[in-house]
Amino acid sequence: QVQLTEAGGGRVRPGDSLTLSCATTANTFMSYTMGWFRQAPGKDREFVAAFNRNNNHIYYADSVKGRATVSRDRDKNTLYLRMNNLKPEDTAVYFCVAGRPILSSLRYDASYSNWGQGTQVIVSS
């Protein structure tokens, strides 16, 4: 059973920064590709970023590239998503995911069988 526990969501103003965290077990942290998706009200789930365990590369959606940074703490088995210059359109529930997608499927939600409970981010003035 893969457990993913997100934290760090909240309400911020446009232009602010926020860091989300996703804690898991050591086995999951080292064995799975982990990443982030988000879902805004009335919209489909959207890929945000992922750390590919096969090549140690980080991939970002165009919508967050340059504003988002994924990092990993091996001692804490935790994945982070730092978002800068937040915009109202970043408002969504953010989900941590873990899976074993092939590279061409990295950005598809169906490629991940393990999802956290989600953490709400609201960007509003």
Side-chain angles (χ1 to χ4, degrees):
Q1 184 77 15
V2 173
Q3 291 188 325
L4 304 169
T5 305
E6 302 106 329
R11 188 183 189 102
V12 297
R13 295 181 180 277
D16 284 353
S17 299
L18 197 66
T19 299
L20 307 180
S21 64
C22 176
T24 187
T25 63
N27 182 62
T28 298
F29 193 75
M30 298 307 296
S31 303
Y32 287 78
T33 287
M34 292 181 65
W36 297 90
F37 280 74
R38 66 185 181 185
Q39 187 167 24
K43 294 189 177 181
D44 293 335
R45 287 187 292 201
E46 175 190 19
F47 171 78
V48 177
F51 174 85
N52 187 341
R53 70 177 185 95
N54 295 315
N55 60 12
N56 291 332
H57 286 178
I58 301 173
Y59 299 83
Y60 296 97
D62 289 342
S63 58
V64 302
K65 195 174 293 183
R67 300 189 297 121
T69 302
V70 168
S71 60
R72 304 166 78 234
D73 187 328
R74 293 187 179 184
D75 291 336
K76 296 181 179 179
N77 299 318
T78 299
L79 184 77
Y80 298 96
L81 174 67
R82 170 80 171 177
M83 295 277 292
N84 297 320
N85 190 24
L86 283 159
K87 305 175 182 180
E89 51 264 42
D90 294 317
T91 295
V93 177
Y94 284 71
F95 296 93
C96 178
V97 298
R100 296 193 170 110
I102 58 175
L103 185 57
S104 60
S105 300
L106 193 78
R107 300 169 186 264
Y108 295 98
D109 57 357
S111 299
Y112 299 87
S113 55
N114 303 288
W115 292 70
Q117 81 282 359
T119 185
Q120 177 77 59
V121 174
I122 298 173
V123 184
S124 174
S125 55

